[in-house]
Amino acid sequence: MNKRFFSPRLVVSARLTTLAQTTFSAAIALNLWVNPSLAGDPFRNREPHQIGDQTEAAFKAIFQQGNYPIADRYLEQAISKEPNEPLAYAIKASLAHGNKDWAKLDTYSQKTLETGQKLISSDPLRGNLYTAVGHFLEGAVILTREGTVNGVPQAFGRLRQVYEYLDKAEAISANDPELNLIKGYMDLLLAVNLPFASPDQAIGRLEQNAAPGYLVDRGIALAYRDLKRYPQALEYVNRALKTTSDNPEIYYLKAQILKKLGQQQKSQQMIQEAIANFDKALTKKPQLPGDLVKQIERERRSAVSLNNAG
């Protein structure tokens, strides 16, 4: 087990609920609309695993298009028609977290865990992976309900189980792209926030073995942004834009990076480019969650103030 995860406690646990959203809500879009009849495994080009069409369609609506209303409709169909697919419940739990719907977060975290455990017998790799995800989401529920201080002991019990089941999945197929995507996002968040952890190792995991590529580029751009390595962050967000130019969340991320880089380099041109990218993101605000739209608008106003001050 990766024991470095469990120290220092408060730094990691305070960010647990953020990671629960980050892992499933970092959305990237291709220049395609979702078509369930063409659905397949979004993670593997070879030896695909059985994932239901409606779950696949919901995954694409969020992680390719950033279109949350469409995704929600597909998720409702997935839960009705594909009740044994844990990915559908994990996405529902993430959306509930983003909407601050703690009752639904609790419900769908439990369902992720239950369906992950049931899947172990027929698909040990994905069963163990989503059992880990279920325990992780349950830890997020504990911290939300109990608070960081009171919830730490219980949450860390869950976190030990997260890595226990991730280790089991890794023993089955260490290079599996779905496993490496989820674990890579977890490791990146730790590397960003723990001084003794290696972000380069986490980035290497994503680049070498994770898929789909659009989520790999997105995750690495987020990591470099949080590490304040803005030129590298800009490189990866631009890579993402080559294949995900319809997703408003990518323009939002690019705007954040340009704003920080503009401040760092005292460049009014970059600040103005940031404002333009905030505006591009807001052209599709009907398909984004309301709280996210408000956050984008706040950050745009801040960028405008910086531009005016210059």
Side-chain angles (χ1 to χ4, degrees):
M1 185 184 297
N2 191 344
K3 294 182 179 179
R4 64 183 168 78
F5 184 74
F6 303 108
S7 175
R9 285 187 170 190
L10 291 179
V11 174
V12 178
S13 61
R15 298 185 178 272
L16 182 61
T17 55
T18 301
L19 179 55
Q21 185 177 10
T22 300
T23 303
F24 289 98
S25 299
I28 305 207
L30 294 174
N31 297 320
L32 298 171
W33 289 104
V34 173
N35 184 343
S37 66
L38 300 178
D41 187 328
F43 306 102
R44 304 167 185 86
N45 293 324
R46 294 181 298 174
E47 301 180 1
H49 288 236
Q50 185 64 43
I51 297 174
D53 287 355
Q54 302 303 318
T55 300
E56 176 73 5
F59 182 93
K60 289 182 177 180
I62 293 178
F63 295 100
Q64 290 186 344
Q65 298 175 23
N67 194 320
Y68 289 80
I70 287 178
D72 194 56
R73 290 197 292 271
Y74 282 128
L75 284 171
E76 292 303 316
Q77 295 177 38
I79 288 170
S80 174
K81 298 177 181 179
E82 300 154 6
N84 297 318
E85 175 50 59
L87 176 57
Y89 298 111
I91 296 173
K92 287 286 285 185
S94 175
L95 294 179
H97 179 274
N99 293 329
K100 298 181 173 60
D101 189 334
W102 310 130
K104 285 186 178 179
L105 174 61
D106 192 4
T107 296
Y108 291 118
S109 297
Q110 290 180 35
K111 290 295 292 184
T112 303
L113 180 58
E114 291 170 7
T115 52
Q117 290 171 329
K118 289 178 182 177
L119 191 60
I120 290 174
S121 60
S122 60
D123 188 340
L125 172 64
R126 296 191 74 243
N128 280 294
L129 175 58
Y130 283 96
T131 298
V133 172
H135 280 299
F136 180 81
L137 291 168
E138 290 270 271
V141 170
I142 291 168
L143 288 178
T144 300
R145 184 176 58 236
E146 303 292 338
T148 300
V149 176
N150 294 332
V152 164
Q154 293 181 66
F156 267 85
R158 291 286 183 174
L159 286 171
R160 292 186 183 94
Q161 291 178 299
V162 168
Y163 273 83
E164 175 186 342
Y165 282 98
L166 285 176
D167 287 347
K168 290 180 179 179
E170 196 162 16
I172 296 167
S173 181
N175 295 329
D176 180 73
E178 186 176 13
L179 167 65
N180 280 282
L181 182 73
I182 292 174
K183 193 170 187 296
Y185 267 80
M186 290 183 179
D187 288 347
L188 275 178
L189 186 69
L190 294 176
V192 166
N193 293 287
L194 299 180
F196 53 83
S198 170
D200 292 329
Q201 184 176 357
I203 288 168
R205 172 186 286 275
L206 283 174
E207 286 190 314
Q208 293 168 22
N209 295 315
Y214 48 83
L215 282 176
V216 171
D217 290 337
R218 163 87 171 177
I220 295 173
L222 286 165
Y224 280 135
R225 180 202 65 184
D226 292 343
L227 289 165
K228 298 180 172 55
R229 292 161 65 176
Y230 302 122
Q232 293 98 321
L234 186 60
E235 175 188 348
Y236 275 90
V237 80
N238 282 332
R239 285 175 57 168
L241 274 172
K242 290 180 180 179
T243 53
T244 61
S245 59
D246 285 343
N247 190 327
E249 292 187 283
I250 296 300
Y251 292 104
Y252 172 41
L253 176 58
K254 184 171 182 178
Q256 290 180 314
I257 294 165
L258 284 167
K259 179 186 172 186
K260 292 293 187 180
L261 192 58
Q263 289 178 281
Q264 189 178 73
Q265 298 184 0
K266 296 180 171 55
S267 169
Q268 289 301 112
Q269 181 180 349
M270 285 187 177
I271 298 294
Q272 291 165 7
E273 288 181 25
I275 295 168
N277 278 273
F278 283 126
D279 288 339
K280 287 181 181 179
L282 290 169
T283 61
K284 294 189 176 182
K285 63 183 179 181
Q287 70 186 50
L288 296 172
D291 286 348
L292 178 57
V293 171
K294 292 176 183 177
Q295 179 64 29
I296 296 171
E297 290 173 340
R298 281 194 296 270
E299 293 185 38
R300 183 194 182 279
R301 288 194 295 270
S302 174
V304 169
S305 295
L306 283 172
N307 186 54
N308 292 339

